[in-house]
Amino acid sequence: MAGVQFPTYQSLRKTMQRFSANVKRISVKRLLFDNSCLGIMAGILLLCEIVLNVAIVNFVNYTEIDWKAYMQEVEGVVNGTYDYYQLKGDTGPLVYPAGFVYVFTILYYLTEYGKNIKIAQYIFAGFYIIVLLLVFRIYTKTKKVPPYVLAFLCCTSYRIHSVFVLRMFNDPVAMMFLYAALNLFLDSRWTAGSFFYSCAVSIKMNILLFAPALLMAYLTSLGIQGTIIQLAVCAAVQVVLALPFLLANPVAYVMRAFDFGRVFLFEWTVNWRFIPEWLFVDWKFHVLLLAIHAALLLAFYSYWKVCLQSYARMKCVEIDLESKMKKSKHKIDMSVTSRLLLLPLFTANFLGIACSRSLHYQFYVWYSHSLPYLLWSAPYSNKFRLCLLGIIELCWNVFPSTSISSISLHICHLVILYGLYINREMPTKK
């Protein structure tokens, strides 16, 4: 393509040499504890993760769970069926929005109609690296946690590696688009961010958990007119992607792709194992959880409003300072600005997960990468924060879940929630 310059071997080599030189110049202590070294730590971990994921693909046995069913579902579309009532796989009917169909149709062809598992695993290993890159950019930009936390995040992610590389669920793909959207929002590229956010929603509905805080971010940063534009972008993406299915059977698409009344199987629950099954499936229990979720959103509303209004003001200051400091060698640390946007978004998602009707093992990816950010936004000691992260990881790795693991997970969620609530007067505190 004209005007596009691709990196040469020599330029890549020089970049790696500069990176190696920077690593050699800093001490281990600085690398672990100095927030200015977050970028270097992220680079080291990404290289290690590439090697680790290749090893996982080649030496750890793949376990079939949903991949075959995904391929059967999209194969129906490939064969010309657009009625959602007619699309199904071995595990049941297709229950994901249209974006899922397009993404996994591409994977269907890239993996020899879903039969070449090894290629699929390498693709999902690539997705894992992309997600890490996007997450590390967020942490580097916000400087919210010390560098060693990034290492802890990678070293205690057995379940996450499994969800990506050994199980190949659609949840990681949705989160990849979500983290791309968050990075774009941080760069004030609202329309592009809305596009990627809506794409994420079209792959899996859990992304809607971010919506309450995102709507507030639109209103405080863009005003009513700007908010309407962004909502129109989100809606347009949904309609365009779903158009073939809406034309075939609109009722079937809406009822299946956005089934908010779906009841999950008790045998797979991670968070409610300690209650009897009759209570788990009772609609009154689901309504109670929804009411608690709504109450928590209201409890955090004023806090988020202050954060996001401050973000909008400080973003204007940041843009003004950047224009004045272009010729200066000095850089102004405005990481606090990004924190004011991210904390409401991550908290909104966490509230939804904490009040979820059921969490399955693959759902861990919904919030695993944001947990350090939330914990370092609560007034706890670093040792206590790390202990909570370790306990949560342990709870998600108990299979099948037990009453103890489920109760422990809820306790950890309550501790994080309490910390976020009592610390709401200090949103920028490290």
Side-chain angles (χ1 to χ4, degrees):
M1 292 181 290
V4 179
Q5 294 183 345
F6 293 97
T8 62
Y9 169 76
Q10 288 78 12
S11 64
L12 290 172
R13 183 179 179 183
K14 288 181 180 179
T15 301
M16 291 302 298
Q17 286 175 342
R18 286 196 296 269
F19 178 76
S20 299
N22 289 333
V23 172
K24 291 177 181 178
R25 279 199 298 267
I26 63 175
S27 65
V28 174
K29 184 176 181 180
R30 274 196 64 203
L31 181 63
L32 293 175
F33 298 99
D34 189 342
N35 283 11
S36 65
C37 296
L38 276 163
I40 295 174
M41 175 62 85
I44 294 172
L45 291 172
L46 281 170
L47 293 174
C48 294
E49 283 287 358
I50 291 172
V51 175
L52 176 61
N53 278 272
V54 171
I56 292 173
V57 171
N58 285 280
F59 300 109
V60 181
N61 292 331
Y62 161 79
T63 302
E64 170 59 42
I65 297 181
D66 279 347
W67 173 260
K68 184 179 178 182
Y70 291 166
M71 294 298 100
Q72 291 169 338
E73 289 162 2
V74 300
E75 192 171 45
V77 178
V78 171
N79 292 333
T81 302
Y82 293 96
D83 184 343
Y84 253 60
Y85 282 149
Q86 305 300 320
L87 295 170
K88 59 183 178 180
D90 286 345
T91 58
L94 172 59
V95 293
Y96 307 118
F100 162 87
V101 175
Y102 294 114
V103 170
F104 279 84
T105 297
I106 294 172
L107 294 174
Y108 174 82
Y109 285 114
L110 290 176
T111 59
E112 301 173 5
Y113 312 121
K115 296 176 182 177
N116 195 324
I117 301 299
K118 193 69 72 176
I119 291 178
Q121 287 183 280
Y122 275 118
I123 292 172
F124 272 81
F127 291 161
Y128 179 85
I129 297 302
I130 292 171
V131 168
L132 269 192
L133 181 64
L134 294 169
V135 169
F136 285 170
R137 185 177 185 268
I138 288 173
Y139 280 109
T140 302
K141 194 174 182 68
T142 59
K143 297 181 180 178
K144 185 64 180 176
V145 302
Y148 71 85
V149 176
L150 300 186
F152 189 89
L153 191 64
C154 291
C155 295
T156 60
S157 58
Y158 169 84
R159 179 62 64 187
I160 300 303
H161 283 96
S162 174
V163 168
F164 273 86
V165 184
L166 299 178
R167 306 294 186 266
M168 299 180 293
F169 289 107
N170 62 330
D171 305 77
V173 185
M175 294 308 297
M176 180 174 65
F177 278 86
L178 182 278
Y179 284 119
L182 293 185
N183 275 274
L184 289 166
F185 291 143
L186 288 175
D187 294 338
S188 296
R189 298 173 63 184
W190 290 96
T191 301
S194 296
F195 173 82
F196 275 88
Y197 176 80
S198 192
C199 286
V201 173
S202 76
I203 297 170
K204 194 151 189 180
M205 279 198 306
N206 68 285
I207 306 299
L208 288 172
L209 294 177
F210 289 88
L214 180 57
L215 177 60
M216 292 180 65
Y218 284 154
L219 289 168
T220 52
S221 292
L222 305 174
I224 295 177
Q225 183 176 353
T227 299
I228 292 173
I229 292 172
Q230 298 309 314
L231 294 178
V233 170
C234 293
V237 171
Q238 297 298 319
V239 172
V240 170
L241 291 177
L243 195 57
F245 308 101
L246 291 172
L247 292 174
N249 189 336
V251 175
Y253 178 76
V254 173
M255 294 298 292
R256 283 281 168 83
F258 296 97
D259 182 7
F260 292 98
R262 184 180 172 196
V263 178
F264 293 102
L265 295 176
F266 182 69
E267 63 181 297
W268 294 114
T269 186
V270 174
N271 57 331
W272 294 112
R273 180 66 63 184
F274 59 92
I275 65 173
E277 186 172 0
W278 64 265
L279 178 59
F280 176 81
V281 299
D282 193 323
W283 66 270
K284 295 178 183 177
F285 176 64
H286 297 168
V287 171
L288 175 62
L289 291 175
L290 183 62
I292 294 173
H293 185 195
L296 288 172
L297 290 174
L298 288 174
F300 277 88
Y301 169 78
S302 299
Y303 172 40
W304 293 348
K305 186 176 180 180
V306 171
C307 286
L308 294 169
Q309 287 177 337
S310 299
Y311 169 77
R313 289 193 295 267
M314 291 188 69
K315 197 65 181 179
C316 293
V317 173
E318 180 182 335
I319 294 171
D320 184 52
L321 288 174
E322 284 179 351
S323 63
K324 293 178 180 178
M325 300 288 289
K326 279 184 178 179
K327 296 181 180 179
S328 175
K329 294 181 180 179
H330 302 287
K331 291 185 178 181
I332 301 175
D333 184 1
M334 298 294 290
S335 57
V336 65
T337 307
S338 301
R339 298 177 201 167
L340 291 166
L341 174 63
L342 281 173
L343 185 55
L345 290 168
F346 281 155
T347 305
N349 181 55
F350 176 76
L351 295 181
I353 293 170
C355 299
S356 177
R357 290 181 299 167
S358 184
L359 295 174
H360 294 178
Y361 286 96
Q362 65 268 32
F363 297 178
Y364 187 27
V365 76
W366 292 3
Y367 76 145
S368 61
H369 294 108
S370 64
L371 283 173
Y373 194 96
L374 294 172
L375 279 166
W376 262 258
S377 300
Y380 300 133
S381 68
N382 287 350
K383 290 181 179 179
F384 186 67
R385 291 163 174 162
L386 292 175
C387 285
L388 280 177
L389 284 175
I391 294 171
I392 291 173
E393 175 71 15
L394 181 62
C395 291
W396 281 97
N397 282 289
V398 174
F399 179 81
S401 62
T402 65
S403 296
I404 294 176
S405 67
S406 295
I407 292 172
S408 299
L409 184 62
H410 277 290
I411 291 173
C412 290
H413 286 171
L414 287 172
V415 171
I416 295 173
L417 178 61
Y418 175 74
L420 292 172
Y421 187 77
I422 64 172
N423 209 38
R424 64 193 185 283
E425 297 300 326
M426 301 172 286
T428 63
K429 184 178 178 181
K430 288 187 179 182

